[in-house]
mmCIF file of all heavy atoms in Angstrom:
data_model
loop_
_atom_site.group_PDB
_atom_site.id
_atom_site.type_symbol
_atom_site.label_atom_id
_atom_site.label_comp_id
_atom_site.label_asym_id
_atom_site.label_seq_id
_atom_site.Cartn_x
_atom_site.Cartn_y
_atom_site.Cartn_z
ATOM 1 N N TRP B 328 -0.560 -0.376 15.605
ATOM 2 C CA TRP B 328 -0.470 0.323 16.919
ATOM 3 C C TRP B 328 -1.793 1.012 17.210
ATOM 4 O O TRP B 328 -2.272 1.711 16.298
ATOM 5 C CB TRP B 328 0.657 1.416 16.921
ATOM 6 C CG TRP B 328 1.988 0.862 16.558
ATOM 7 C CD1 TRP B 328 2.745 1.197 15.477
ATOM 8 C CD2 TRP B 328 2.750 -0.124 17.293
ATOM 9 N NE1 TRP B 328 3.934 0.474 15.511
ATOM 10 C CE2 TRP B 328 3.917 -0.351 16.602
ATOM 11 C CE3 TRP B 328 2.497 -0.873 18.483
ATOM 12 C CZ2 TRP B 328 4.903 -1.272 17.025
ATOM 13 C CZ3 TRP B 328 3.492 -1.760 18.930
ATOM 14 C CH2 TRP B 328 4.648 -1.965 18.159
ATOM 15 N N PRO B 329 -2.397 0.880 18.350
ATOM 16 C CA PRO B 329 -1.990 -0.048 19.424
ATOM 17 C C PRO B 329 -2.035 -1.487 18.946
ATOM 18 O O PRO B 329 -2.921 -1.861 18.174
ATOM 19 C CB PRO B 329 -3.069 0.183 20.507
ATOM 20 C CG PRO B 329 -3.750 1.462 20.179
ATOM 21 C CD PRO B 329 -3.666 1.594 18.704
ATOM 22 N N PHE B 330 -1.086 -2.281 19.392
ATOM 23 C CA PHE B 330 -0.996 -3.655 18.964
ATOM 24 C C PHE B 330 -2.204 -4.425 19.499
ATOM 25 O O PHE B 330 -2.592 -4.283 20.644
ATOM 26 C CB PHE B 330 0.318 -4.310 19.492
ATOM 27 C CG PHE B 330 0.643 -5.570 18.822
ATOM 28 C CD1 PHE B 330 1.054 -5.591 17.467
ATOM 29 C CD2 PHE B 330 0.552 -6.797 19.473
ATOM 30 C CE1 PHE B 330 1.347 -6.784 16.851
ATOM 31 C CE2 PHE B 330 0.837 -7.991 18.847
ATOM 32 C CZ PHE B 330 1.268 -7.985 17.510
ATOM 33 N N PRO B 331 -2.823 -5.253 18.615
ATOM 34 C CA PRO B 331 -4.082 -5.940 19.032
ATOM 35 C C PRO B 331 -3.818 -7.125 19.989
ATOM 36 O O PRO B 331 -4.063 -8.300 19.606
ATOM 37 C CB PRO B 331 -4.677 -6.404 17.704
ATOM 38 C CG PRO B 331 -3.526 -6.447 16.741
ATOM 39 C CD PRO B 331 -2.501 -5.477 17.202
ATOM 40 N N ASP B 332 -3.360 -6.824 21.220
ATOM 41 C CA ASP B 332 -2.963 -7.830 22.178
ATOM 42 C C ASP B 332 -3.966 -8.964 22.391
ATOM 43 O O ASP B 332 -3.621 -10.114 22.408
ATOM 44 C CB ASP B 332 -2.765 -7.142 23.556
ATOM 45 C CG ASP B 332 -1.501 -6.343 23.574
ATOM 46 O OD1 ASP B 332 -0.945 -6.035 22.494
ATOM 47 O OD2 ASP B 332 -1.063 -5.979 24.698
ATOM 48 N N LYS B 333 -5.227 -8.514 22.557
ATOM 49 C CA LYS B 333 -6.263 -9.483 22.969
ATOM 50 C C LYS B 333 -6.395 -10.604 21.963
ATOM 51 O O LYS B 333 -6.383 -11.782 22.272
ATOM 52 C CB LYS B 333 -7.584 -8.739 23.132
ATOM 53 C CG LYS B 333 -8.538 -9.383 24.110
ATOM 54 C CD LYS B 333 -9.890 -8.728 24.087
ATOM 55 C CE LYS B 333 -9.996 -7.462 24.867
ATOM 56 N NZ LYS B 333 -11.351 -6.815 24.771
ATOM 57 N N LYS B 334 -6.555 -10.219 20.698
ATOM 58 C CA LYS B 334 -6.771 -11.177 19.602
ATOM 59 C C LYS B 334 -5.539 -12.076 19.427
ATOM 60 O O LYS B 334 -5.622 -13.276 19.245
ATOM 61 C CB LYS B 334 -7.087 -10.462 18.316
ATOM 62 C CG LYS B 334 -7.683 -11.276 17.265
ATOM 63 C CD LYS B 334 -9.095 -11.678 17.601
ATOM 64 C CE LYS B 334 -9.469 -12.986 17.039
ATOM 65 N NZ LYS B 334 -10.879 -13.363 17.334
ATOM 66 N N VAL B 335 -4.354 -11.424 19.446
ATOM 67 C CA VAL B 335 -3.100 -12.175 19.237
ATOM 68 C C VAL B 335 -2.928 -13.231 20.348
ATOM 69 O O VAL B 335 -2.655 -14.392 20.062
ATOM 70 C CB VAL B 335 -1.894 -11.208 19.220
ATOM 71 C CG1 VAL B 335 -0.597 -11.987 19.240
ATOM 72 C CG2 VAL B 335 -1.969 -10.345 17.940
ATOM 73 N N ARG B 336 -3.198 -12.829 21.599
ATOM 74 C CA ARG B 336 -3.025 -13.749 22.723
ATOM 75 C C ARG B 336 -3.980 -14.931 22.565
ATOM 76 O O ARG B 336 -3.596 -16.090 22.729
ATOM 77 C CB ARG B 336 -3.316 -12.981 24.052
ATOM 78 C CG ARG B 336 -2.892 -13.774 25.256
ATOM 79 C CD ARG B 336 -3.115 -12.994 26.531
ATOM 80 N NE ARG B 336 -2.071 -12.039 26.836
ATOM 81 C CZ ARG B 336 -2.274 -10.763 27.046
ATOM 82 N NH1 ARG B 336 -3.451 -10.243 26.990
ATOM 83 N NH2 ARG B 336 -1.256 -9.989 27.378
ATOM 84 N N GLN B 337 -5.208 -14.611 22.172
ATOM 85 C CA GLN B 337 -6.228 -15.655 22.036
ATOM 86 C C GLN B 337 -5.872 -16.658 20.965
ATOM 87 O O GLN B 337 -5.933 -17.869 21.180
ATOM 88 C CB GLN B 337 -7.544 -14.976 21.683
ATOM 89 C CG GLN B 337 -8.769 -15.877 21.562
ATOM 90 C CD GLN B 337 -9.820 -15.229 20.684
ATOM 91 O OE1 GLN B 337 -9.949 -14.012 20.628
ATOM 92 N NE2 GLN B 337 -10.606 -16.047 19.977
ATOM 93 N N LEU B 338 -5.427 -16.180 19.806
ATOM 94 C CA LEU B 338 -5.091 -17.105 18.707
ATOM 95 C C LEU B 338 -3.830 -17.887 18.959
ATOM 96 O O LEU B 338 -3.758 -19.056 18.609
ATOM 97 C CB LEU B 338 -5.003 -16.356 17.385
ATOM 98 C CG LEU B 338 -6.302 -15.878 16.789
ATOM 99 C CD1 LEU B 338 -6.074 -15.082 15.494
ATOM 100 C CD2 LEU B 338 -7.280 -17.023 16.519
ATOM 101 N N ILE B 339 -2.856 -17.244 19.595
ATOM 102 C CA ILE B 339 -1.622 -17.975 19.926
ATOM 103 C C ILE B 339 -1.891 -19.138 20.811
ATOM 104 O O ILE B 339 -1.307 -20.248 20.651
ATOM 105 C CB ILE B 339 -0.602 -16.999 20.612
ATOM 106 C CG1 ILE B 339 -0.038 -16.014 19.671
ATOM 107 C CG2 ILE B 339 0.512 -17.810 21.259
ATOM 108 C CD1 ILE B 339 0.970 -15.069 20.286
ATOM 109 N N SER B 340 -2.817 -18.989 21.745
ATOM 110 C CA SER B 340 -3.096 -20.099 22.702
ATOM 111 C C SER B 340 -3.566 -21.345 22.006
ATOM 112 O O SER B 340 -3.411 -22.430 22.559
ATOM 113 C CB SER B 340 -4.073 -19.587 23.799
ATOM 114 O OG SER B 340 -5.348 -19.416 23.219
ATOM 115 N N HIS B 341 -4.176 -21.234 20.844
ATOM 116 C CA HIS B 341 -4.686 -22.428 20.166
ATOM 117 C C HIS B 341 -3.714 -23.024 19.172
ATOM 118 O O HIS B 341 -3.885 -24.158 18.735
ATOM 119 C CB HIS B 341 -5.961 -22.085 19.376
ATOM 120 C CG HIS B 341 -7.073 -21.636 20.277
ATOM 121 N ND1 HIS B 341 -7.708 -20.422 20.134
ATOM 122 C CD2 HIS B 341 -7.641 -22.236 21.341
ATOM 123 C CE1 HIS B 341 -8.652 -20.345 21.114
ATOM 124 N NE2 HIS B 341 -8.601 -21.383 21.850
ATOM 125 N N ALA B 342 -2.644 -22.282 18.814
ATOM 126 C CA ALA B 342 -1.739 -22.732 17.743
ATOM 127 C C ALA B 342 -0.621 -23.582 18.332
ATOM 128 O O ALA B 342 -0.254 -23.442 19.518
ATOM 129 C CB ALA B 342 -1.177 -21.543 17.019
ATOM 130 N N LYS B 343 -0.047 -24.491 17.492
ATOM 131 C CA LYS B 343 1.170 -25.206 17.915
ATOM 132 C C LYS B 343 2.426 -24.360 17.721
ATOM 133 O O LYS B 343 3.278 -24.340 18.595
ATOM 134 C CB LYS B 343 1.288 -26.512 17.084
ATOM 135 C CG LYS B 343 0.309 -27.596 17.546
ATOM 136 C CD LYS B 343 0.619 -28.902 16.816
ATOM 137 C CE LYS B 343 -0.478 -29.954 17.207
ATOM 138 N NZ LYS B 343 -0.762 -30.838 16.111
ATOM 139 N N VAL B 344 2.520 -23.746 16.542
ATOM 140 C CA VAL B 344 3.653 -22.861 16.298
ATOM 141 C C VAL B 344 3.160 -21.561 15.685
ATOM 142 O O VAL B 344 2.104 -21.522 15.007
ATOM 143 C CB VAL B 344 4.722 -23.490 15.375
ATOM 144 C CG1 VAL B 344 5.405 -24.665 16.033
ATOM 145 C CG2 VAL B 344 4.102 -23.889 14.040
ATOM 146 N N VAL B 345 3.939 -20.527 15.950
ATOM 147 C CA VAL B 345 3.573 -19.205 15.432
ATOM 148 C C VAL B 345 4.730 -18.664 14.615
ATOM 149 O O VAL B 345 5.915 -18.763 15.044
ATOM 150 C CB VAL B 345 3.289 -18.237 16.590
ATOM 151 C CG1 VAL B 345 2.881 -16.837 16.089
ATOM 152 C CG2 VAL B 345 2.177 -18.783 17.481
ATOM 153 N N LEU B 346 4.431 -18.114 13.425
ATOM 154 C CA LEU B 346 5.468 -17.485 12.580
ATOM 155 C C LEU B 346 5.097 -16.097 12.207
ATOM 156 O O LEU B 346 3.894 -15.844 11.959
ATOM 157 C CB LEU B 346 5.728 -18.308 11.308
ATOM 158 C CG LEU B 346 6.362 -19.682 11.457
ATOM 159 C CD1 LEU B 346 5.291 -20.763 11.380
ATOM 160 C CD2 LEU B 346 7.419 -19.927 10.475
ATOM 161 N N VAL B 347 6.054 -15.228 12.205
ATOM 162 C CA VAL B 347 5.797 -13.824 11.885
ATOM 163 C C VAL B 347 6.620 -13.381 10.654
ATOM 164 O O VAL B 347 7.783 -13.027 10.808
ATOM 165 C CB VAL B 347 6.120 -12.896 13.075
ATOM 166 C CG1 VAL B 347 5.773 -11.480 12.778
ATOM 167 C CG2 VAL B 347 5.363 -13.335 14.336
ATOM 168 N N PRO B 348 6.023 -13.448 9.460
ATOM 169 C CA PRO B 348 6.745 -12.965 8.293
ATOM 170 C C PRO B 348 6.710 -11.430 8.181
ATOM 171 O O PRO B 348 5.661 -10.817 8.326
ATOM 172 C CB PRO B 348 5.925 -13.548 7.094
ATOM 173 C CG PRO B 348 5.064 -14.659 7.710
ATOM 174 C CD PRO B 348 4.797 -14.151 9.108
ATOM 175 N N GLU B 349 7.857 -10.830 8.027
ATOM 176 C CA GLU B 349 7.953 -9.382 7.926
ATOM 177 C C GLU B 349 9.203 -9.021 7.159
ATOM 178 O O GLU B 349 10.238 -9.649 7.344
ATOM 179 C CB GLU B 349 7.819 -8.652 9.266
ATOM 180 C CG GLU B 349 8.747 -9.176 10.367
ATOM 181 C CD GLU B 349 8.525 -8.522 11.725
ATOM 182 O OE1 GLU B 349 8.072 -7.366 11.792
ATOM 183 O OE2 GLU B 349 8.796 -9.187 12.752
ATOM 184 N N MET B 350 9.152 -7.909 6.402
ATOM 185 C CA MET B 350 10.343 -7.486 5.597
ATOM 186 C C MET B 350 11.248 -6.602 6.431
ATOM 187 O O MET B 350 11.411 -5.392 6.136
ATOM 188 C CB MET B 350 9.873 -6.808 4.341
ATOM 189 C CG MET B 350 9.297 -7.744 3.292
ATOM 190 S SD MET B 350 8.763 -6.880 1.809
ATOM 191 C CE MET B 350 10.343 -6.424 1.105
ATOM 192 N N ASN B 351 11.753 -7.168 7.496
ATOM 193 C CA ASN B 351 12.729 -6.506 8.385
ATOM 194 C C ASN B 351 13.397 -7.587 9.206
ATOM 195 O O ASN B 351 13.070 -8.776 9.003
ATOM 196 C CB ASN B 351 12.036 -5.451 9.282
ATOM 197 C CG ASN B 351 10.921 -6.117 10.098
ATOM 198 O OD1 ASN B 351 11.141 -7.099 10.805
ATOM 199 N ND2 ASN B 351 9.735 -5.534 10.062
ATOM 200 N N LEU B 352 14.295 -7.243 10.102
ATOM 201 C CA LEU B 352 14.993 -8.250 10.821
ATOM 202 C C LEU B 352 14.280 -8.693 12.106
ATOM 203 O O LEU B 352 14.812 -9.419 12.932
ATOM 204 C CB LEU B 352 16.411 -7.809 11.162
ATOM 205 C CG LEU B 352 17.353 -7.704 9.938
ATOM 206 C CD1 LEU B 352 18.723 -7.146 10.327
ATOM 207 C CD2 LEU B 352 17.530 -9.054 9.242
ATOM 208 N N GLY B 353 13.037 -8.247 12.308
ATOM 209 C CA GLY B 353 12.259 -8.692 13.468
ATOM 210 C C GLY B 353 11.771 -7.529 14.285
ATOM 211 O O GLY B 353 12.457 -7.067 15.189
ATOM 212 N N GLN B 354 10.601 -6.983 13.979
ATOM 213 C CA GLN B 354 10.050 -5.832 14.725
ATOM 214 C C GLN B 354 8.729 -6.238 15.363
ATOM 215 O O GLN B 354 8.571 -6.262 16.578
ATOM 216 C CB GLN B 354 9.945 -4.610 13.830
ATOM 217 C CG GLN B 354 11.310 -4.142 13.341
ATOM 218 C CD GLN B 354 11.341 -2.761 12.736
ATOM 219 O OE1 GLN B 354 10.438 -1.944 12.845
ATOM 220 N NE2 GLN B 354 12.389 -2.433 12.044
ATOM 221 N N ILE B 355 7.749 -6.612 14.537
ATOM 222 C CA ILE B 355 6.443 -7.050 15.047
ATOM 223 C C ILE B 355 6.575 -8.336 15.889
ATOM 224 O O ILE B 355 5.857 -8.536 16.857
ATOM 225 C CB ILE B 355 5.405 -7.222 13.918
ATOM 226 C CG1 ILE B 355 4.891 -5.856 13.438
ATOM 227 C CG2 ILE B 355 4.240 -8.140 14.359
ATOM 228 C CD1 ILE B 355 4.021 -5.119 14.393
ATOM 229 N N ILE B 356 7.573 -9.151 15.538
ATOM 230 C CA ILE B 356 7.730 -10.411 16.273
ATOM 231 C C ILE B 356 7.939 -10.203 17.765
ATOM 232 O O ILE B 356 7.510 -10.986 18.598
ATOM 233 C CB ILE B 356 8.931 -11.251 15.673
ATOM 234 C CG1 ILE B 356 8.856 -12.685 16.147
ATOM 235 C CG2 ILE B 356 10.277 -10.611 15.944
ATOM 236 C CD1 ILE B 356 9.807 -13.627 15.505
#
Side-chain angles (χ1 to χ4, degrees):
Chain B
W328 305 118
F330 195 70
D332 287 17
K333 208 190 277 178
K334 196 72 209 182
V335 170
R336 193 178 277 126
Q337 183 204 330
L338 287 178
I339 287 180
S340 69
H341 297 122
K343 281 187 186 145
V344 292
V345 181
L346 291 102
V347 182
E349 50 186 331
M350 289 180 68
N351 57 51
L352 290 176
Q354 297 194 15
I355 282 291
I356 195 171

